[in-house]
């Protein structure tokens, strides 16, 4: 019985290391099938960065053009649940107009990427930080307006 359990352990170890594939070919047996390809193959960081940069460019163009419907369509479902095209349009009317931009950094990630851009607006320079998900949709953003006075709270 001890000899049999030792053979089982050896066979399992050989399977784990792939050592048994060569003898199976020598005996005329069909080689083990390759693992099925997954729908999503691993992507290089450069490709992920390029997709995030392209998505950020689309977001920035919608901001510059004042296109609330395009902006809303660029939101990830989590953001879309919190707003509507009408509310996006109302918010865009209150914001300074975007005249130009420069993307200053893109940090690619597995599920999302972070893109930072320097915006020239009708109210001066602003920094925009965007989180772009793996589908190229805007998952979150922050506009640095530290040069603006704090909001007044009325009592």
């Amino acid at each position: 019985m001890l000899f049999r359990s030792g053979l089982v352990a050896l066979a399992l170890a050989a399977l784990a290391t792939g050592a048994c594939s060569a003898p199976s070919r020598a005996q005329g047996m069909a080689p083990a099938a390759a693992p099925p390809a997954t729908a999503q193959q691993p992507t290089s960081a450069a490709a992920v960065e390029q997709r995030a940069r392209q998505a950020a460019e689309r977001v920035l163009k919608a901001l510059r053009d004042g296109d609330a419907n395009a902006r809303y369509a660029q939101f990830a479902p989590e953001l879309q649940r919190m707003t509507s095209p009408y509310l996006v349009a109302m918010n865009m009317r209150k914001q300074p107009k975007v005249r130009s931009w420069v993307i200053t950094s893109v940090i690619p990630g597995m599920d999302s990427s972070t893109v930072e851009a320097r915006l020239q607006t009708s109210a001066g320079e602003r920094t925009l930080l965007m989180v772009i998900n793996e589908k190229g949709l805007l998952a979150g953003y922050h506009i640095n307006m530290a040069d603006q006075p704090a909001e007044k709270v009325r009592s």
Side-chain angles (χ1 to χ4, degrees):
M1 185 71 160
L2 182 59
F3 177 72
R4 187 176 208 189
S5 64
L7 284 177
V8 170
L10 183 61
L12 289 175
L15 283 173
T17 61
C20 71
S21 61
S24 67
R25 283 190 214 119
Q27 296 172 358
M29 298 172 66
T38 58
Q40 273 191 2
Q41 294 296 325
T43 312
S44 72
V48 172
E49 179 179 342
Q50 183 63 27
R51 283 197 305 270
R53 184 178 296 275
Q54 290 170 344
E57 287 286 343
R58 289 190 300 271
V59 167
L60 293 166
K61 285 177 185 170
L63 274 173
R64 179 195 62 203
D65 297 344
D67 190 342
N69 288 325
R71 182 139 167 78
Y72 179 79
Q74 294 167 341
F75 285 178
E78 299 81 15
L79 287 181
Q80 286 182 341
R81 283 194 287 273
M82 295 187 290
T83 191
S84 69
Y86 175 78
L87 291 174
V88 171
M90 295 301 293
N91 187 35
M92 288 178 76
R93 286 189 196 116
K94 295 177 189 176
Q95 300 301 319
K97 302 294 180 215
V98 174
R99 295 184 176 145
S100 64
W101 62 85
V102 174
I103 293 179
T104 56
S105 73
V106 179
I107 302 171
M110 294 292 288
D111 296 328
S112 63
S113 299
T114 305
V115 180
E116 188 172 348
R118 192 173 57 245
L119 310 178
Q120 292 298 325
T121 73
S122 57
E125 189 172 291
R126 301 283 185 264
T127 302
L128 172 63
L129 180 70
M130 295 174 274
V131 178
I132 307 290
N133 72 12
E134 72 278 1
K135 294 179 181 175
L137 298 173
L138 190 64
Y141 65 95
H142 173 74
I143 298 176
N144 184 357
M145 296 177 47
D147 61 334
Q148 298 297 305
E151 292 184 36
K152 295 180 182 178
V153 178
R154 295 181 188 173
S155 53

